[in-house]
Amino acid sequence: MSKQVKQLDRVIIRFAGDSGDGMQLTGDRFTQESAVFGNDLVTLPNFPAEIRAPQGTLPGVSSFQVHFADHDILTAGDAPDVLVAMNPAALKANLGDLPKGATIIVDTHDFTARNLTKAGYDANPLDLLGDANDPLGEFQVQPVDLTGMTVEAVKEFGLSRKDAARAKNMFALGLLSWMYGRPTDPTVTFLEKRFAKVADIRDANITAFKAGWNFGETTEMFVVQYEIKPARMAPGTYRNITGNLALSYGLIAGGVQSGLPVFLGSYPITPASDILHELSKHKAFGVTTLQAEDEIAGIGAAIGASFAGSLGVTTTSGPGIALKSEAIGLAVMTELPLIVVDVQRGGPSTGLPTKTEQADLLQAMFGRNGEAPVPIVAPQSPGDCFDAALEACRIAVTYRTPVMLLSDGYLANGSEPWRIPEIVDLPTIDPNFATERNKTVVAKDGTETEEYWPYLRDEETLARPWAIPGTAGLEHRIGGIEKADGTGNISYDPANHDFMVRTRQAKVDRIAESLPPLEVDDPSGEAKVLVIGWGSTYGPIGAGVRRVRKAGFNVAQVHLRHLNPFPKDLGDILKRYDKVLCPEMNLGQLSLLLRGKYLVDAIGYNQVNGMPIKAAALAEAIGGLVADAEGVTVDLTATPQEAAQ
């Protein structure tokens, strides 16, 4: 039968089911298909912390949301246009996020009395479709026996019913791939490789995938196929990439560009473990990985590797930073290069291991005893994790300091198209190892001797020299007790301690001299409101700002990569605007820092629910500030012409 083809500029799809239903794999495969097709995209995986959450319950629901478009997009979307629900719990857990008119594709097979009770339903909502009291009346509901058709499609392979039903996610993927014109060859190739050693499972999954496609092509239930054209992108080679993968590649690039072997000392922790897994694959690039027995051992080994002339790295999340804090202070005192990766998650304590948050900023700034300043770098998108990691390596090596790299769960697990950089465009990082004695010492009798002083300073960076142990004539000692200026000998002198504390702070402050001017997005130049953010709020802020501008109002945006030290021109930028809004996934940590340093009345927009900020709600907050600043009425539902009246 002939099908209508409808053009769309963007779609948001959410796959949802039990954590054992393969929703993450399904979403990832749809994402890869969309990336191959050439759409711009952003993803939001969302899954329970338990390895196997209670089946059929609301806490056990796992979902994967993908937003793909024919133009540049910034977020995974506020509300899905399409929900694929594999059981009653998946339907109930996600129903509140759907806008009116959204499409719901439901696997009817698991809507049994037992599963309905687990999900908290008194009656089967599918039995009430079309009734006056239909709870799903606001949506376009398509009940499909995905499981039953899957089992029927793969019966030739002799699998048990349980094993056959596991392929239902591939049937759903095939159906959605047909609906949105996704290429199928990449998924078939993936399944052939993934299940190469188990022929029946391989063939069953491929058959289920193709059966889903054919069902969409032949059924009268779905009469419209949708087309989302490829997005226009700058010329180059692209791949889809997650934040953790991009960060791993950035660390490898940091090693290559500095000529240093990379050593990762790490203890597995969600959501940072993927970095350990990835780096362990790259021995060919001089990467050594150690899965330590605990967080402290991991960072201790990394500091030792840096002392020995490697680029030391340790990866963790917020709870691990707490455990590593004393060792980070040791790296501050010894002034050795060290990358400390904090992939933030919901806290405190164990908190929300698989949910996102930005609540470790103050911990990164101040979470050590004494005056122990540490530079802080934060990526703004999954692909930007590469550049942020490379920048952290530059700062650590150039300034001989530990650097905190603040990613988060949203960036780590989310993905987007990433333009692979040209190697010639990457910065060169010079470790500038000490190779000879650096101090002429004159004795009382006038005799001159050449010595190596490990705490002499580079005049430009204030960095101390870095000598590889075993270099003849450069024998020296370092440790956690205060050092005498220059010689590095143990010193309890009050004046020396004061001087060294101020020098270590001045060295970090000196980093600002190497930072480029901030890019302020203020097209009209007439905005009175500035929205400032850091980290993964870049997408929601950008999308919210676009909504306000589309309605005809002026608003400026600036985003911070460097949080310690702040860029030199930040203070002047803040003074240009009447009102400053600071959206964060915490209770106002950047706002606190901005208020304290620049005495600016930074207004917080704060959310700590474990999920990314929604652009529509943020746009309303921005619009409210614009209304106050300009004395106008702001209606974000109006056209630019209506809004100007």
Side-chain angles (χ1 to χ4, degrees):
M1 62 179 294
S2 61
K3 304 270 186 170
Q4 177 187 353
V5 178
K6 185 176 180 180
Q7 294 281 345
L8 298 175
D9 63 350
R10 65 177 189 86
V11 175
I12 304 169
I13 299 175
R14 182 181 296 175
F15 299 93
D18 266 329
S19 56
D21 283 341
M23 294 298 96
Q24 301 304 312
L25 175 62
T26 305
D28 180 68
R29 290 315 314 161
F30 192 92
T31 299
Q32 298 297 338
E33 291 175 0
S34 299
V36 168
F37 189 76
N39 296 123
D40 195 17
L41 59 89
V42 182
T43 66
L44 174 61
N46 186 17
F47 44 87
E50 292 79 12
I51 295 174
R52 187 64 175 92
Q55 190 172 9
T57 65
L58 297 182
V61 172
S62 171
S63 68
F64 190 107
Q65 183 166 306
V66 55
H67 181 192
F68 59 105
D70 65 3
H71 58 277
D72 172 48
I73 55 174
L74 297 171
T75 74
D78 288 355
D81 302 304
V82 180
L83 171 67
V84 180
M86 306 301 281
N87 61 20
L91 176 63
K92 189 163 190 176
N94 293 282
L95 199 59
D97 293 336
L98 301 182
K100 291 183 180 180
T103 297
I104 304 175
I105 300 174
V106 186
D107 183 2
T108 59
H109 181 271
D110 281 346
F111 275 69
T112 62
R114 184 166 180 263
N115 286 338
L116 289 165
T117 300
K118 282 184 180 181
Y121 280 112
D122 295 326
N124 189 344
L126 302 183
D127 292 341
L128 303 176
L129 293 179
D131 290 357
N133 59 343
D134 180 1
L136 304 178
E138 295 180 339
F139 311 107
Q140 301 178 42
V141 182
Q142 301 286 359
V144 182
D145 186 6
L146 297 175
T147 301
M149 286 190 286
T150 300
V151 171
E152 181 65 23
V154 304
K155 63 181 181 181
E156 63 180 285
F157 302 107
L159 302 176
S160 68
R161 182 175 178 83
K162 182 178 179 180
D163 287 341
R166 286 176 176 165
K168 64 184 177 182
N169 63 325
M170 288 297 105
F171 189 101
L173 177 60
L175 174 58
L176 270 293
S177 298
W178 171 84
M179 286 181 65
Y180 293 97
R182 304 294 90 185
T184 58
D185 289 344
T187 293
V188 172
T189 301
F190 168 82
L191 293 171
E192 288 174 345
K193 291 181 178 178
R194 174 129 184 186
F195 300 111
K197 296 181 180 180
V198 191
D200 288 344
I201 300 297
R202 176 199 63 204
D203 295 342
N205 276 277
I206 293 174
T207 299
F209 175 65
K210 292 180 177 179
W213 174 281
N214 293 334
F215 174 73
E217 181 73 19
T218 57
T219 184
E220 296 183 3
M221 183 178 297
F222 298 96
V223 296
V224 180
Q225 191 176 24
Y226 301 94
E227 182 179 7
I228 298 89
K229 293 183 178 179
R232 292 184 179 180
M233 297 183 181
T237 302
Y238 288 81
R239 60 157 296 166
N240 189 55
I241 200 164
T242 64
N244 274 347
L245 182 57
L247 196 151
S248 300
Y249 287 171
L251 293 173
I252 295 170
V256 171
Q257 294 304 105
S258 63
L260 298 174
V262 174
F263 177 91
L264 173 65
S266 181
Y267 181 76
I269 184 172
T270 302
S273 299
D274 286 342
I275 302 171
L276 171 61
H277 301 160
E278 183 61 33
L279 288 180
S280 68
K281 303 174 184 177
H282 296 287
K283 296 181 179 66
F285 285 103
V287 179
T288 300
T289 53
L290 169 67
Q291 180 174 320
E293 64 267 31
D294 55 44
E295 297 280 3
I296 299 171
I299 189 172
I303 293 172
S306 287
F307 176 60
S310 295
L311 179 57
V313 182
T314 189
T315 54
T316 188
S317 188
I321 294 294
L323 292 167
K324 296 178 190 289
S325 60
E326 183 182 5
I328 296 172
L330 174 62
V332 171
M333 179 66 82
T334 56
E335 300 189 46
L336 287 168
L338 178 70
I339 310 298
V340 182
V341 179
D342 178 2
V343 185
Q344 301 165 94
R345 70 190 206 186
S349 188
T350 306
L352 305 173
T354 60
K355 311 301 180 183
T356 194
E357 205 163 277
Q358 284 184 304
D360 294 352
L361 177 55
L362 294 183
Q363 183 184 27
M365 280 288 295
F366 306 118
R368 295 162 294 283
N369 65 298
E371 295 287 346
V374 171
I376 303 172
V377 177
Q380 65 186 28
S381 69
D384 189 52
C385 288
F386 176 89
D387 296 304
L390 192 55
E391 172 67 355
C393 294
R394 180 193 73 85
I395 293 173
V397 172
T398 303
Y399 293 88
R400 314 291 197 244
T401 178
V403 177
M404 195 78 73
L405 181 56
L406 290 184
S407 180
D408 63 46
Y410 177 39
L411 297 181
N413 297 317
S415 65
E416 66 176 355
W418 176 60
R419 184 184 179 188
I420 300 173
E422 298 292 337
I423 295 178
V424 295
D425 295 332
L426 300 180
T428 299
I429 304 170
D430 184 7
N432 192 24
F433 286 117
T435 57
E436 57 187 20
R437 296 183 175 98
N438 58 1
K439 182 67 175 179
T440 301
V441 178
V442 182
K444 291 181 179 180
D445 61 2
T447 304
E448 294 185 356
T449 57
E450 297 296 319
E451 297 182 2
Y452 173 66
W453 284 19
Y455 280 83
L456 286 180
R457 303 283 169 179
D458 180 277
E459 292 184 0
E460 180 181 350
T461 64
L462 297 182
R464 76 170 186 86
W466 187 11
I468 297 178
T471 304
L474 306 189
E475 296 83 0
H476 64 286
R477 61 183 178 185
I478 59 174
I481 299 178
E482 184 61 279
K483 302 293 176 289
D485 177 42
T487 66
N489 294 330
I490 292 174
S491 173
Y492 295 100
D493 178 68
N496 177 78
H497 176 60
D498 183 274
F499 177 80
M500 293 296 281
V501 166
R502 294 178 187 275
T503 300
R504 287 188 288 265
Q505 181 63 59
K507 181 179 70 170
V508 172
D509 293 340
R510 192 69 63 89
I511 295 168
E513 301 291 334
S514 70
L515 305 183
L518 280 170
E519 295 182 7
V520 182
D521 180 17
D522 187 359
S524 69
E526 299 176 0
K528 294 184 178 180
V529 173
L530 173 70
V531 186
I532 185 170
W534 67 280
S536 66
T537 56
Y538 173 78
I541 290 173
V545 165
R546 284 182 182 179
R547 291 182 184 224
V548 175
R549 290 177 183 164
K550 187 177 181 180
F553 301 96
N554 297 319
V555 60
Q557 177 187 359
V558 67
H559 210 74
L560 300 178
R561 164 170 287 171
H562 300 90
L563 296 158
N564 190 34
F566 287 130
K568 292 193 302 179
D569 55 347
L570 178 57
D572 292 335
I573 291 170
L574 294 173
K575 292 175 183 177
R576 296 180 206 164
Y577 298 92
D578 294 348
K579 293 185 181 294
V580 176
L581 181 67
C582 187
E584 300 180 79
M585 292 187 293
N586 57 49
L587 294 183
Q589 298 187 15
L590 178 58
S591 298
L592 180 69
L593 296 176
L594 295 177
R595 284 169 172 262
K597 185 172 181 63
Y598 300 108
L599 302 181
V600 61
D601 184 18
I603 301 167
Y605 180 92
N606 306 113
Q607 173 184 302
V608 281
N609 62 2
M611 297 295 289
I613 292 173
K614 292 191 174 183
L618 178 55
E620 292 293 335
I622 297 170
L625 278 186
V626 172
D628 291 344
E630 300 187 6
V632 297
T633 300
V634 174
D635 180 5
L636 299 185
T637 63
T639 64
Q641 292 78 13
E642 293 171 338
Q645 295 174 353

